[in-house]
Amino acid sequence: AQSVTQLGSHVSVSEGALVLLRCNYSSSVPPYLFWYVQYPNQGLQLLLKYTTGATLVKGINGFEAEFKKSETSFHLTKPSAHMSDAAEYFCAVSPFYSSASKIIFGSGTRLSIRP
Amino acid sequence: GAGVSQSPSNKVTEKGKDVELRCDPISGHTALYWYRQSLGQGLEFLIYFQGNSAPDKSGLPSDRFSAERTGGSVSTLTIQRTQQEDSAVYLCASSFRQGDEQYFGPGTRLTVT
């Protein structure tokens, strides 16, 4: 069984500050991990994903995430926040080999950027 | 290529009426998902189709909700006897295979008056 926990339903940072959105997962098998972003009144779009290999994954818009198996975490970071980063961010997990299970999404974190 | 499309983009209906929401996935994608997103909330999984396998209906909130996927492509989500609590954005997503990243449509905003 899998689950995803996003710590903090709302995160606010100043423009130019570090963005850190936390995601912890539970999976009995090696996972695929994803971050999606949802801008206001739009559907979700993939920000980045981890499948296998390099544990530091770079995505679009300067975001990156690091898979830490020992901590069961996949936190999303960006060194310098921009106003356009204001959106809802969802972490998701799926078992990479199983056709029986579906992707599980976290409850989301709303990121606000202060001028 | 074309992404996932959904129609209509907006639907306003009276309580008690039936509605049909349509999803056109990306060509060649074998997996198709329906989610519901209420105002300011996360994603609520509804139903999932994978190839010719029986769909996973575990997320459907009541027997008023049903979905089908014809020919392994287009999917229709039907809500019978709509209630005000059904008001939400209904999102469809597809992926090449189960477990791969999902590509989302823009959603259908359903308002039940």
Side-chain angles (χ1 to χ4, degrees):
Chain A
Q2 311 148 84
S3 65
V4 178
T5 301
Q6 291 185 241
L7 297 176
S9 60
H10 185 207
V11 171
S12 179
V13 302
S14 298
E15 190 174 19
L18 171 71
V19 175
L20 171 60
L21 304 183
R22 299 179 185 274
C23 173
N24 287 87
Y25 70 92
S26 171
S27 179
S28 57
V29 298
Y32 281 172
L33 294 160
F34 309 85
W35 275 100
Y36 288 83
V37 60
Q38 185 178 32
Y39 297 104
N41 300 313
Q42 295 186 26
L44 279 73
Q45 67 179 91
L46 183 69
L47 203 54
L48 50 79
K49 67 177 180 179
Y50 167 78
T51 53
T52 58
T55 57
L56 181 62
V57 181
K58 294 185 184 298
I60 61 173
N61 301 336
F63 283 93
E64 61 183 35
E66 185 172 10
F67 170 58
K68 292 187 176 180
K69 183 178 179 180
S70 61
E71 298 177 7
T72 60
S73 69
F74 191 57
H75 302 332
L76 181 71
T77 61
K78 181 174 180 178
S80 178
H82 191 272
M83 296 299 291
S84 61
D85 295 327
E88 187 91 16
Y89 292 80
F90 294 92
C91 181
V93 62
S94 97
F96 80 92
Y97 70 85
S98 171
S99 64
S101 297
K102 55 190 177 292
I103 289 181
I104 304 297
F105 282 85
S107 56
T109 297
R110 181 169 300 277
L111 176 63
S112 299
I113 311 297
R114 302 187 299 270
Chain B
V4 178
S5 61
Q6 293 185 245
S7 61
S9 56
N10 280 284
K11 176 71 176 179
V12 180
T13 190
E14 293 180 353
K15 177 181 174 181
K17 296 289 181 69
D18 298 351
V19 295
E20 285 189 351
L21 312 180
R22 177 186 169 105
C23 173
D24 282 87
I26 293 173
S27 178
H29 279 192
T30 64
L32 186 148
Y33 309 77
W34 283 99
Y35 298 91
R36 179 168 70 175
Q37 188 174 33
S38 301
L39 186 63
Q41 301 298 308
L43 295 174
E44 177 187 4
F45 165 77
L46 297 177
I47 187 169
Y48 150 60
F49 298 88
Q50 170 61 57
N52 296 320
S53 302
D56 177 350
K57 304 179 182 180
S58 61
L60 295 178
S62 77
D63 59 7
R64 296 186 296 105
F65 288 73
S66 63
E68 63 178 18
R69 187 179 185 191
T70 54
S73 182
V74 173
S75 178
T76 302
L77 176 69
T78 301
I79 308 173
Q80 296 178 309
R81 304 180 303 280
T82 53
Q83 303 295 312
Q84 288 188 330
E85 59 263 30
D86 299 334
S87 296
V89 175
Y90 288 81
L91 293 167
C92 175
S94 70
S95 63
F96 180 66
R97 59 188 175 190
Q98 189 283 330
D100 286 349
E101 65 265 31
Q102 296 181 9
Y103 293 82
F104 282 80
T108 293
R109 182 176 299 277
L110 175 66
T111 303
V112 182
T113 61

